[in-house]
Amino acid sequence: SLPAKLINGGIAGLIGVTCVFPIDLAKTRLQNQQNGQRMYASLSDCLIKTIRSEGYFGMYRGAAVNLTLVTPEKAIKLAANDFFRHHLSKDGKKLTLLREMLAGCGAGTCQVIVTTPMEMLKIQLQDAGRIAAQKKLMAAQAQLSSSPAAAAEPAVETRTTATQITRELLRSKGIAGLYKGLGATLLRDVPFSIVYFPLFANLNKLGQKDPNVKAPFYVSFLSGCVAGSTAAVAVNPCDVIKTRLQSLQRGVNEDTYSGILDCTKKIWQREGPTAFFKGAYCRALVIAPLFGIAQVVYFIGIAEFLLDMLPKHRA
């Protein structure tokens, strides 16, 4: 049933995000730093420096936004894919690869309604620590300079909340402010779903002894991990562009971008083609367990168990 699908998708999203959020934070910071302003050398370096400067809970900056909105996002994504697969199937026959890809395309398109504002707010909170750390470093370097004019007051980070960012964006730009980077989000999520869902479905079928019996949970988990990490790396260039476009604050001497083409051109010219794969391994580490867990919860059907426990439902 649709309520069961939505509950399963929501539970899966909450569990997955809680497990992998620190890696996602590192991914955002690695993708946003530009040549000449590098604060972090790797995933581990980013996490260690984050803990030292911001404490353990610094790794979870922006998690509240993600945990609040990931439930409708994952619910829409998984339920929409099932919806499109059902309506694209002919008399219950096996879907062709093209139809599986079309179902994934529909799911990716539907989810951006929630994904874009969620990512927009999350990125501001995740990247705030990097910008603050960069300002503190430059202030310290200026104080060590022999020139008195180069001295600067230590930068003091003023922590903002998702609510404050939302109010400011709505006040200054209206609802369109929350949907900045919508085109780039579509460029990332639609191809991701086109790759992910058919790949997962076919990998999962390999573990089914009978077409009418669900695959073992570990097969669904591994299928979700493999399909998720493959799709994540494949669309990472689009994710880098999306992250850069949605960042409202920039570090010192960092580029600003007017759109997708301008962002792509500047990254290619000033940082080289390898810059499009910044944070790719982090994104794979985030997406693999996230979708592995999501598919296990979704296929086990926790929601059906919860609904069966309701007296009204049993009646």
Side-chain angles (χ1 to χ4, degrees):
S1 64
L2 181 59
K5 290 177 182 178
L6 296 178
I7 294 171
N8 278 332
I11 293 172
L14 289 173
I15 295 172
V17 166
T18 303
C19 294
V20 301
F21 193 83
I23 305 174
D24 186 61
L25 178 137
K27 186 261 318 176
T28 297
R29 294 187 177 185
L30 289 170
Q31 286 183 339
N32 262 335
Q33 65 180 6
Q34 299 178 21
N35 289 343
Q37 302 293 337
R38 293 172 62 86
M39 292 295 302
Y40 314 108
S42 62
L43 166 63
S44 58
D45 182 54
C46 180
L47 293 178
I48 291 170
K49 288 180 178 176
T50 299
I51 293 173
R52 286 176 179 172
S53 61
E54 303 169 54
Y56 174 79
F57 290 105
M59 295 191 298
Y60 283 88
R61 293 183 70 169
V65 174
N66 224 21
L67 290 171
T68 301
L69 296 179
V70 74
T71 298
E73 186 223 20
K74 286 292 178 286
I76 290 171
K77 188 184 189 82
L78 295 172
N81 181 64
D82 273 4
F83 173 82
F84 287 116
R85 287 178 70 90
H86 173 73
H87 285 278
L88 286 170
S89 62
K90 294 182 177 179
D91 302 323
K93 293 181 180 179
K94 181 181 177 181
L95 284 173
T96 63
L97 179 60
L98 177 60
R99 289 177 179 269
E100 287 183 329
M101 293 172 72
L102 286 173
C105 178
T109 304
C110 290
Q111 78 170 85
V112 297
I113 297 170
V114 177
T115 303
T116 305
M118 178 183 75
E119 293 273 310
M120 178 72 181
L121 296 172
K122 183 191 72 170
I123 286 170
Q124 313 317 314
L125 298 172
Q126 285 182 330
D127 204 37
R130 180 188 70 90
I131 295 173
Q134 187 188 91
K135 289 179 179 179
K136 287 179 182 178
L137 179 62
M138 294 196 70
Q141 291 173 345
Q143 287 177 342
L144 292 174
S145 173
S146 58
S147 172
E153 290 294 325
V156 178
E157 181 187 1
T158 55
R159 295 211 172 194
T160 56
T161 65
T163 303
Q164 290 172 329
I165 296 171
T166 302
R167 286 175 179 171
E168 178 60 26
L169 285 171
L170 290 175
R171 184 189 64 80
S172 60
K173 299 181 180 180
I175 193 68
L178 291 174
Y179 281 87
K180 183 181 180 182
L182 174 62
T185 305
L186 280 167
L187 280 178
R188 182 197 68 172
D189 289 346
V190 171
F192 178 92
S193 295
I194 289 174
V195 173
Y196 172 78
F197 283 111
L199 183 56
F200 169 79
N202 286 283
L203 288 174
N204 197 56
K205 284 176 185 175
L206 296 177
Q208 290 179 278
K209 296 180 179 179
D210 187 316
N212 298 318
V213 179
K214 290 180 180 178
F217 78 93
Y218 64 86
V219 172
S220 293
F221 175 76
L222 291 175
S223 299
C225 288
V226 173
S229 58
T230 302
V233 173
V235 302
N236 196 76
C238 299
D239 189 57
V240 172
I241 294 168
K242 182 199 72 67
T243 300
R244 296 280 182 95
L245 288 175
Q246 288 187 320
S247 297
L248 299 176
Q249 295 187 9
R250 302 287 177 190
V252 180
N253 299 323
E254 290 185 346
D255 291 327
T256 56
Y257 310 103
S258 60
I260 295 173
L261 293 177
D262 180 55
C263 182
T264 304
K265 181 181 178 181
K266 286 180 178 178
I267 292 174
W268 182 276
Q269 291 178 342
R270 300 175 187 181
E271 300 174 61
T274 57
F276 289 105
F277 288 92
K278 283 184 176 181
Y281 65 98
C282 294
R283 183 163 163 75
L285 288 175
V286 169
I287 297 296
L290 180 61
F291 277 83
I293 292 168
Q295 292 295 357
V296 168
V297 172
Y298 197 63
F299 273 78
I300 287 176
I302 290 177
E304 286 85 345
F305 172 77
L306 294 175
L307 290 172
D308 284 340
M309 296 295 289
L310 297 174
K312 181 179 178 180
H313 185 73
R314 287 201 302 267

